[in-house]
Amino acid sequence: MGAKLSGSGGGRYAVEANSEINVTPFVDVMLVLLIIFMVAAPMAAVTVKVALPNAVAPPSTNPPKPVYISIQESGRLFIGDIPTEIATLGDDLRKNIGNKRNPEKERIFIRADKGVLYGDFMGVMNQLQDNGFYSVALIGEDK
């Protein structure tokens, strides 16, 4: 809301509220922008015809599904969503991974509850190393 300011007295310098919004400059700017975009849009399209060669690169394969080992606070182990035991961890991992991948190069992601005992965690790590799984990554929660 605008107002006219004056010294003292009335007349043509009297203080009165101006409650009308002047939209003319806004409309002018919008029309100019509309014209600019109407002129620039056809220039952004590629109009040169080119016969592209065939791609010779083989299609990329999807990366293998990551393998997660979860350790609950109670000490229970899971490979993905499948429960397992520490004694059969290596064999169960090989069944989960399958024969198509090399276990020595497979990365295993470990998710452990913050209340897990250190001895339980180290038991899982030792079992992984004993079965040839040397690439291990630890998962934590970002804050």
Side-chain angles (χ1 to χ4, degrees), residues 71-135:
I71 309 171
Q72 289 183 333
E73 187 175 9
S74 62
R76 292 186 61 202
L77 288 176
F78 294 88
I79 299 174
D81 295 332
I82 303 167
T84 187
E85 298 294 328
I86 189 105
T88 60
L89 183 62
D91 294 333
D92 291 342
L93 266 174
R94 283 190 185 81
K95 287 178 192 172
N96 188 297
I97 293 171
N99 295 332
K100 60 186 174 214
R101 292 194 250 169
N102 191 357
E104 289 83 21
K105 295 183 180 179
E106 185 67 32
R107 176 168 285 185
I108 308 296
F109 294 92
I110 297 181
R111 301 172 56 235
D113 191 276
K114 62 183 174 183
V116 170
L117 296 175
Y118 186 69
D120 293 341
F121 176 77
M122 286 307 297
V124 171
M125 293 289 290
N126 290 335
Q127 193 70 14
L128 289 174
Q129 287 183 352
D130 291 344
N131 286 283
F133 297 99
Y134 298 109
S135 181

Side-chain angles (χ1 to χ4, degrees), residues 33-45:
L33 288 175
L34 178 66
I35 292 170
I36 290 173
F37 286 128
M38 288 174 59
V39 171
M43 291 182 198

Side-chain angles (χ1 to χ4, degrees), residues 68 110-115 137-143:
Y68 291 99
I110 297 181
R111 301 172 56 235
D113 191 276
K114 62 183 174 183
L138 305 178
I139 304 294
E141 188 171 344
D142 291 336
K143 292 207 177 202

Side-chain angles (χ1 to χ4, degrees), residues 51-57:
L52 295 173
N54 293 332
V56 293

